[in-house]
Amino acid sequence: MANPQRFAFPPDFIWGAAAAAHQVEGANWASDCWALEHARPSFFAEPSADACDHLNRYTDDIALLAGLGLKAWRFSIEWARVEPEEGAFSQAAFDHYARVIDCCLAHDVAPIATFHHFTNPRWVARDGGWADDRIVDRFARYCARTAEALGAGLAWACTINEVNIPDAIAGQMRRVAEKFPDQAAAAHAALGAPVQAFFLFAGGDGYARRAIEAHFKARDAIKSAAPHVPVGMTLSIQHNVAENDAAADGLAAYRRQAYAPYYEAARADDFLGVQTYTRQLIDATGRPHRRPPEGVEVTQMGYEYRPDALAAVCREAWAATQRPLFVTENGIAAADDARRAAFIREALTALHPLSAEGVDLRGYLYWSLLDNFEWLYGYRMQFGLIGVDRATQARAIKRSAVMLGEIARANAV
Ligand code: BGC
């Protein structure tokens, strides 16, 4: 019998987990990120190396996800594998991702593919990457070919993961590049182009126009090859709050830079992917605070522990776009798995009133299925529902994973 104290989610609500190719697959040699990790000195704490060897272990990982009771797997297709040199598409790479999709379908798991999750092929970066206009048509061509090869099996498609994040963190990344000129020079040498070629450093300087055009062309290419697949972008949206009354203009300025053009673009999409991790104060100059207020609980990432941020962000994204929303990422980096379980439960409980408010929310994907390569931070951060032994690649299911699976099976929290 249903527990009357539980909050039910809408029927057909989709429960799952997410990851990105570069962070879990391993051996992504043809990517710009790999080159940056091996620059000396590097902005990256350590190289991604074999990551979680998900390239070879995807059948086990998808079986684990399905065994928990989760029904969706958000993975990314690695452009650097599919098109390691310009125009040289790899049939073996398409075949690999076709097997990933088939494996999902065999487990009754919805395959949700992201076409770009931060990394580019090296040849794209060499030409300036996200700082160069040619990326628009190159990305669209890769999406067209990929959707022709793989689109039939997909349940949902995301074009560019967190397409707004370069603009949301532009000031911070500019300061990082200035503060570490040796790393910046080594990155330039490794890429054959300034570090702004790499997605996370690309904000400002016409990035929004380029990225939104790339999204539109990619969306059209995917839809024409696979008309049944809902296509959207995903956005990194934190719950931004003015630090005090005097910072209202600063908050508005930050919103114009980090979100407004992207919300506008998303209004023509099938859905919007929402990705939220925390609450963030904004000062009067429009700068996000680098650290949370004194005395609050912080996660491994140094973020304020704010599971309630997700509901606030969903309200904002719904008001701004009126598009169906999908939580394509939400999670916490924590050594103590009990904090992860609490975070998930609190985040989901706070979502409960949304459906009565008319917000069309389709699903929730936890970030991440596995402890994985957290970009510049390397392997220190533990976002996973499942732990990964770095020496043996052995997987260890955490209690939070079992809890999320139970919530998914009950469709209630
Ligand atoms: C990204 C992930 C990342 C996660 C946690 C998101 O910004 O899409 O790749 O690992 O946040 O930091």
Side-chain angles (χ1 to χ4, degrees):
M1 223 178 81
N3 177 341
Q5 276 144 8
R6 292 192 126 188
F7 296 137
F9 282 80
D12 303 326
F13 196 80
I14 300 164
W15 296 94
H22 189 79
Q23 296 176 269
V24 296
E25 285 181 347
N28 192 16
W29 307 321
S31 71
D32 56 358
C33 198
W34 183 276
L36 290 175
E37 292 159 22
H38 290 272
R40 289 289 171 269
S42 175
F43 286 114
F44 286 72
E46 59 187 318
S48 53
D50 288 336
C52 304
D53 194 29
H54 178 73
L55 195 63
N56 297 304
R57 295 168 196 259
Y58 69 91
T59 50
D60 296 347
D61 292 336
I62 293 167
L64 284 175
L65 172 136
L68 291 170
L70 300 179
K71 292 283 187 198
W73 174 227
R74 175 172 174 246
F75 61 97
S76 75
I77 297 166
E78 183 56 54
W79 186 5
R81 289 191 203 285
V82 164
E83 193 184 4
E85 293 296 341
E86 181 162 20
F89 288 88
S90 163
Q91 187 57 45
F94 286 139
D95 291 347
H96 168 77
Y97 290 111
R99 288 191 295 272
V100 171
I101 293 167
D102 286 347
C103 181
C104 288
L105 298 174
H107 284 283
D108 196 21
V109 164
I112 303 178
T114 303
F115 283 64
H116 186 281
H117 197 123
F118 294 1
T119 46
N120 292 324
R122 278 190 198 208
W123 63 268
V124 173
R126 206 181 300 131
D127 283 347
W130 284 100
D132 177 81
D133 283 345
R134 281 169 293 180
I135 198 164
V136 174
D137 289 324
R138 288 169 168 181
F139 180 61
R141 178 181 57 189
Y142 145 75
C143 288
R145 288 289 292 267
T146 303
E148 281 156 22
L150 303 170
L154 294 180
W156 300 72
C158 310
T159 55
I160 303 170
N161 178 68
E162 299 190 341
V163 59
N164 68 321
I165 198 157
D167 277 342
I169 61 174
Q172 183 191 330
M173 296 314 263
R174 201 170 34 243
R175 287 189 291 278
V176 167
E178 282 164 10
K179 193 168 163 202
F180 299 102
D182 295 346
Q183 279 82 345
H188 192 149
L191 294 178
V195 71
Q196 287 72 24
F198 184 62
F199 188 73
L200 292 173
F201 285 84
D205 294 334
Y207 167 79
R209 175 189 50 77
R210 213 172 288 126
I212 288 169
E213 206 185 330
H215 163 72
F216 284 150
K217 289 197 172 179
R219 182 195 63 199
D220 294 349
I222 298 167
K223 288 192 81 71
S224 91
H228 70 286
V229 181
V231 184
M233 60 173 69
T234 82
L235 295 179
S236 165
I237 319 172
Q238 309 318 317
H239 182 210
N240 296 126
V241 177
E243 65 175 10
N244 54 34
D245 291 348
D249 290 348
L251 175 62
Y254 182 71
R255 286 209 170 117
R256 276 196 300 279
Q257 166 195 323
Y259 309 120
Y262 302 95
Y263 280 147
E264 174 71 34
R267 281 191 205 131
D269 290 350
D270 297 325
F271 74 97
L272 173 64
V274 168
Q275 310 197 161
T276 302
Y277 289 89
T278 190
R279 180 183 86 131
Q280 210 177 30
L281 299 180
I282 307 291
D283 73 14
T285 69
R287 257 202 206 188
H289 282 208
R290 278 177 45 222
R291 281 184 209 87
E294 280 301 308
V296 304
E297 178 178 350
V298 294
T299 71
Q300 282 179 329
M301 292 290 280
Y303 299 162
E304 184 176 359
Y305 175 93
R306 288 306 288 248
D308 58 331
L310 180 62
V313 164
C314 286
R315 287 190 176 94
E316 177 190 307
W318 172 253
T321 65
Q322 299 284 302
R323 300 314 299 148
L325 303 179
F326 202 138
V327 177
T328 40
E329 289 183 23
N330 175 244
I332 176 175
D336 177 1
D337 187 54
R339 294 315 287 151
R340 180 177 354 273
F343 183 93
I344 294 172
R345 194 171 275 289
E346 288 169 41
L348 294 174
T349 303
L351 290 179
H352 179 66
L354 263 54
S355 84
E357 293 168 25
V359 180
D360 182 0
L361 180 61
R362 302 294 175 92
Y364 176 90
L365 307 177
Y366 178 80
W367 182 274
S368 178
L369 182 68
L370 303 170
D371 282 340
N372 65 40
F373 182 70
E374 180 54 29
W375 307 112
L376 281 74
Y377 297 95
Y379 289 103
R380 278 184 291 146
M381 302 299 164
Q382 294 158 285
F383 277 97
L385 296 170
I386 297 176
V388 176
D389 183 309
R390 299 260 13 102
T392 65
Q393 294 286 357
R395 278 34 177 174
I397 295 178
K398 302 179 191 177
R399 293 174 72 104
S400 58
V402 175
M403 183 204 75
L404 181 61
E406 282 165 2
I407 291 172
R409 287 182 215 266
N411 198 32
V413 66

